[in-house]
Amino acid sequence: MKKPERHNIGNGAPVLCVAGMCKEDRNMKKLMDLVQELSFVRVGGSEEEKRAAELIVEEISQAAGDAGREDIRGEYETFRIPDAKVEKCSVTAAGREIPCVPFLRSGSIDRECELVYLDDASEIDFAGIGSLEGKAVLLNGLGDEDVYKRLVERNAAAFLVMQGKYYFSAQEASMYPRRLREHFSRNGIIPGFVITAADALWLVDEEVEKIRLTLEQEDTEPESRNITAVIEGEDLKEESIVLTAHYDSVPLGTGSWDNATGAVALMAIFRHFAAHPARRTLRFIWCGSEELGLLGSRAYVEQHSELLEKVVFCFNFDMCGTILGANKIVVTGEKELQTFAEQYCKLTGYSAKIGVGVHSSDSAPFCDNEIPALGLSRETATASIHTIHDLLPTLSEKAMGRNVEFAVRIIGDMANAAVVPVKKGMPEDTRKELDKYFHRDKDKDKEKEKAE
């Protein structure tokens, strides 16, 4: 087998060339062409997500063919996701139609309600308010299950959440329907709406007392899919490393940065290792429906529980390739993994901010099963995800190339190591963070109280 070429990155440290994808190579443009091909709205469970999946499978077949690997193929692994079909959604107040989007799976309503604004929706704000029956509650945001639980307990008729700045139009506020997550709905169902901060400001400032709410929706369970490809290891093939990136998007913008870049980076890495297999087995997973709550990676973990014992590590790719910004590595695992990442960056001259904790991305379900992970990404304050502004101009093939080259090197060293340099398992503080992230912490506290 021909040895891969080495080039320089960072402060001059050598790094593996990515099989036809080096930053100096003219074929790097092909990588950015694929980012552009994937840059369209592709919401989990939609026909557009299916079309994106087909593009990825085609690229897998092409890469495997170029490497002469007839044994490697891309496969679809389907799963059902909770969704809703919305027939009607409107908010009207003082004769004015207010732009809005619904919380999916939050039920239906068609009535006039008294409007109540609860500043921070704290325990003090709720104190003395009494029953909320027949009332719609305006909130600054909804991130706390306890707030939602109080709304249910006080029989609120509906809730409204504001988004954006007061000077944003409805388009600039980048509103889109979001599903009412299970950790809220397990307390009960209340119809929910999102409106702009500008309209929320008007409602409160004008002391609007009544608001007409209409929401008609039907729960559905469309099919989403993961795409998988396995490159079997050579002499340590019983041990596996999983490599993940999601390819779906939110319902606006083109999802170029989040996460066409990560999906394409994963493809470049796949292309390299298809031609240059490692000692350990590499399991590539392009995850569907990540934006809906990591549904693809969670489905994979559930569908492949028998594999998890032999999975020794996870690499996740969520956003890269921005021209401006800084590289970031999220460490989820024991202290030795943080030390490994810090020293590896120094050895290779790769500048990266290293954070420790649970990465809110597709590595989390694997970490929840004691599998350590590194989340590799590139962040910038000059662009935005989950908005209409997630577009191509912030990205470049050179920036993508640097991220891919580093990823190939660290993955290669991990996959070819005599012994994987970090052990499986999670420290106690990370385990608690995972419980909180997956909304099990309150249930565990209750179980502990009962046991005592």
Side-chain angles (χ1 to χ4, degrees), residues 85-104:
K85 181 180 179 182
V86 179
E87 298 292 342
K88 297 178 182 178
C89 181
S90 65
V91 175
T92 306
R96 175 174 167 180
E97 189 77 21
I98 295 175
C100 66
V101 294
F103 274 83
L104 304 176

Side-chain angles (χ1 to χ4, degrees), residues 29 31-40 256 260 264 392:
K29 185 64 168 62
L31 189 150
M32 283 305 297
D33 286 346
L34 182 54
V35 171
Q36 187 165 6
E37 276 192 77
L38 284 172
S39 290
F40 56 88
S256 301
V264 171
L392 284 164

Side-chain angles (χ1 to χ4, degrees), residues 120-141:
D120 193 37
S122 67
E123 189 175 2
I124 294 175
D125 290 322
F126 273 97
I129 200 169
S131 173
L132 289 170
E133 189 168 355
K135 298 178 181 179
V137 180
L138 176 62
L139 304 167
N140 295 327

